[in-house]
Amino acid sequence: MTWRTYHLKLWHSVREDIDSSFMRVLQCTELRKKYASLKALKLRNTKEFTDDMKEFMTCPWKANITQKERYRVEMHSCCNATDDLILTKKNTALGQNITYDGERRKRVVDNSLLEMFPESIPWRTGGLLGRCAVVGNGGILKNSSCGSQINKADFVIRLNLAPINVSTDVGKKTNLITANPTQILRGYRNLKKHPEPLADKMSNYGNPPLIMPAFSFAFCTRVSLQVRQALRTVHPQQEVAYFNPNYLRDLHRYWRRRGHWAPRLSSGLMLASIALELCEEVHLYGFWPFNFDLSQKALPHHYYDNVGPHGRLHSMPREFTQLLNMHSNGAINLHIGKCQ
């Protein structure tokens, strides 16, 4: 091979790499534009959508500090998770009326109820929480190998007592977790006599603060108070807190102004919203409301079962569209598919 031939081949190779890199940047830019302005997902062609998502998830993600700060300021102004996410002795007074966010009902704060509230937010650090991972329960997490990424976050939020038995996919680290009163009714009967199963479940997470919507509906109050009593019986150090219904109501109004007209926000969107205000960087895992993966293979609804949500309460594809918008704008990092 002559000197000239060698350099011509080298030049063509460099040209091909430059052209390929340019096309890659152009493709990622187009995908960001497409999903940053999307109003609603209309899955007439699921292959086109999954091909887009497969490509989009390999595009380099870069945080947009301006967009992230915009959402943080909006969330703080409308709802104030920093001070009012849960009911505390600091934001609740003796004799005050608690107005439920899910029905027309009020509850007067007496001494016994006020005593159940923590003095202040139990995870308060004096600043933002750093890099946060909000772990949804979507079937897309199954065989994802996302566990090590999740564990590296500074603060990990999980929802609805989701299991962490497959730690390679979902991790183990847990700093905050929620429980739905309906799942307590289904899975933990007679807590007064048998608190151990629920206490053992919480021990798997390392006893992080547990938050429940005690003042959304009347039945939620009874169940949530029972959970606190049951856990305190076995593990006195276990913190159980209750969502401030004023916060949930304000958050619902915030998203309703942006087109989310479902009767209730999903737990996932609620916790993602909380993270937008409290965290420096927000990473979402397991947020995928479809019954197929990026290769169009069938998926269970959750990574641990195939029980779907109440169809009339939530608008999951609409919420997912909003998360895609925020990912495209650099406000959050939405992880879909395999992490390794």
Side-chain angles (χ1 to χ4, degrees):
M1 181 185 295
T2 66
W3 179 90
R4 178 181 174 77
T5 303
Y6 170 78
H7 279 82
L8 278 173
K9 285 189 174 181
L10 182 61
W11 168 242
H12 285 306
S13 176
V14 171
R15 279 283 305 268
E16 287 176 2
D17 288 343
I18 291 173
D19 289 345
S20 176
S21 297
F22 175 76
M23 291 302 296
R24 173 79 174 141
V25 170
L26 184 62
Q27 189 174 24
C28 288
T29 300
E30 289 302 313
L31 285 170
R32 287 191 186 96
K33 287 180 180 177
K34 178 178 180 178
Y35 289 102
S37 59
L38 190 70
K39 298 298 181 185
L41 280 174
K42 298 177 181 178
L43 297 183
R44 298 189 182 94
N45 187 335
T46 56
K47 186 177 187 310
E48 179 183 338
F49 172 67
T50 53
D51 285 348
D52 270 2
M53 289 298 100
K54 191 182 297 185
E55 187 66 35
F56 200 11
M57 289 301 113
T58 62
C59 291
W61 181 85
K62 185 178 180 180
N64 185 321
I65 303 302
T66 301
Q67 287 289 333
K68 172 64 182 69
E69 185 64 11
R70 173 197 146 208
Y71 279 108
R72 193 194 70 77
V73 170
E74 285 183 0
M75 291 294 175
H76 184 76
S77 298
C78 84
C79 312
N80 192 11
T82 305
D83 298 308
D84 295 330
L85 174 61
I86 62 172
L87 293 167
T88 66
K89 292 186 176 74
K90 189 174 180 180
N91 62 29
T92 312
L94 186 66
Q96 174 182 326
N97 276 324
I98 296 174
T99 303
Y100 286 58
D101 68 280
E103 63 183 2
R104 293 187 176 181
R105 179 181 291 270
K106 294 185 178 183
R107 170 79 178 250
V108 177
V109 178
D110 57 19
N111 280 309
S112 61
L113 185 60
L114 187 62
E115 186 57 34
M116 296 180 188
F117 301 161
E119 292 293 336
S120 59
I121 306 293
W123 54 89
R124 175 62 65 81
T125 62
L128 297 179
L129 295 174
R131 173 177 172 168
C132 294
V134 183
V135 186
N137 298 338
I140 197 75
L141 267 178
K142 197 170 184 178
N143 301 318
S144 67
S145 300
C146 287
S148 60
Q149 273 194 27
I150 292 169
N151 286 338
K152 289 175 184 175
D154 299 309
F155 197 86
V156 180
I157 303 171
R158 300 184 188 272
L159 56 112
N160 296 342
L161 296 180
I164 54 174
N165 52 321
V166 188
S167 59
T168 54
D169 292 334
V170 301
K172 282 185 173 294
K173 185 175 182 178
T174 308
N175 299 95
L176 182 66
I177 193 164
T178 67
N180 191 316
T182 56
Q183 74 178 128
I184 299 296
L185 287 173
R186 289 195 304 264
Y188 301 94
R189 297 182 182 278
N190 201 347
L191 281 174
K192 188 172 183 179
K193 286 187 177 180
H194 304 290
E196 291 84 6
L198 182 57
D200 290 344
K201 176 81 170 181
M202 285 301 301
S203 295
N204 291 332
Y205 307 109
N207 295 314
L210 172 66
I211 308 183
M212 299 187 68
F215 301 99
S216 289
F217 299 95
F219 84 93
C220 297
T221 307
R222 175 177 55 83
V223 175
S224 300
L225 299 187
Q226 286 177 352
V227 165
R228 182 184 184 277
Q229 182 59 41
L231 291 177
R232 286 299 184 93
T233 300
V234 182
H235 297 300
Q237 77 280 8
Q238 176 65 57
E239 193 74 67
V240 178
Y242 306 127
F243 280 112
N244 187 335
N246 292 337
Y247 174 83
L248 296 182
R249 187 163 40 248
D250 289 341
L251 187 64
H252 192 186
R253 288 170 181 162
Y254 173 88
W255 287 115
R256 178 164 284 194
R257 290 194 297 270
R258 283 150 184 80
H260 297 280
W261 288 91
R264 303 285 293 178
L265 297 177
S266 72
S267 298
L269 184 58
M270 284 168 49
L271 294 175
S273 302
I274 292 165
L276 276 166
E277 180 180 340
L278 299 182
C279 306
E280 290 177 9
E281 198 172 295
V282 179
H283 293 255
L284 304 186
Y285 300 84
F287 284 73
W288 180 256
F290 310 110
N291 60 2
F292 50 84
D293 64 13
L294 298 185
S295 298
Q296 295 192 289
K297 294 179 181 178
L299 275 182
H301 183 74
H302 297 129
Y303 66 83
Y304 51 86
D305 68 28
N306 199 26
V307 179
H310 195 300
R312 289 174 294 179
L313 282 182
H314 306 307
S315 178
M316 307 299 281
R318 183 82 181 184
E319 291 185 359
F320 183 74
T321 304
Q322 181 63 53
L323 298 179
L324 267 180
N325 293 163
M326 291 191 285
H327 175 87
S328 303
N329 289 324
I332 62 170
N333 192 342
L334 182 61
H335 300 265
I336 302 170
K338 293 188 179 296
C339 291
Q340 296 177 355

